[in-house]
């Protein structure tokens, strides 16, 4: 059951990422370029990024990271929650569920952080990301 939930979580993460990725690229560009930007608004930034063909820059490492992230987070959450409730005599509470979620998120983020770093550099159009991408694609 844990494997199926992890697989479903990974697929959901990929679908959600594909829907929101262009806005994430624009957000990163606006954050990096700040007040020095050639963009007057989010719409102008979206048009510019789209016109240069960079709307999907970094999607590959993002998808490589998001599927395992959501899968690891979901599986870790389920294992911690079920184990604590079965063997630790822990009663369900808001604090318990928040702790399970925090540990699961920390675990997943620790595993996929290197891919997240590559993604951000690619979105920001940082030259160092090109070398990391070349290494990832080999």
């Amino acid at each position: 059951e844990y494997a199926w939930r992890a697989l479903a979580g990974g697929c959901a993460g990929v679908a959600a990422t594909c829907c929101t990725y262009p806005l994430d690229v624009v957000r990163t560009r606006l954050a990096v370029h700040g007040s020095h930007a050639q963009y007057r608004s989010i719409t102008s930034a979206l048009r510019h990024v789209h016109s240069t063909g960079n709307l999907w820059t970094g999607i590959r490492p993002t998808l490589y990271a998001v599927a395992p992230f959501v899968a690891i987070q979901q599986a870790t959450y389920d294992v911690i929650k079920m184990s604590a409730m079965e063997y630790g005599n822990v009663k369900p509470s808001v604090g318990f569920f928040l702790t399970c979620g925090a540990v699961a998120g920390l675990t997943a983020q620790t595993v996929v952080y290197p891919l997240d770093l590559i993604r951000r550099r690619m979105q920001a159009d940082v030259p160092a990301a090109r070398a990391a991408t070349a290494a990832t694609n080999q």
Side-chain angles (χ1 to χ4, degrees), residues 5-49:
R5 290 178 60 99
L7 180 64
C11 290
V14 166
T17 299
C18 289
C19 291
T20 60
Y21 193 75
L23 293 175
D24 195 33
V25 171
V26 169
R27 178 182 61 97
T28 301
R29 293 283 176 94
L30 288 170
V32 168
H33 297 294
S35 61
H36 310 294
Q38 65 237 6
Y39 316 121
R40 290 186 304 252
S41 66
I42 293 173
T43 307
S44 70
L46 186 59
R47 276 193 216 113
H48 179 265
V49 173

Side-chain angles (χ1 to χ4, degrees), residues 76-94:
T76 303
Y77 178 83
D78 288 341
V79 167
I80 291 170
K81 182 179 78 170
M82 293 303 199
S83 297
M85 289 174 68
E86 285 181 28
Y87 305 113
N89 294 326
V90 176
K91 295 186 179 178
S93 68
V94 172

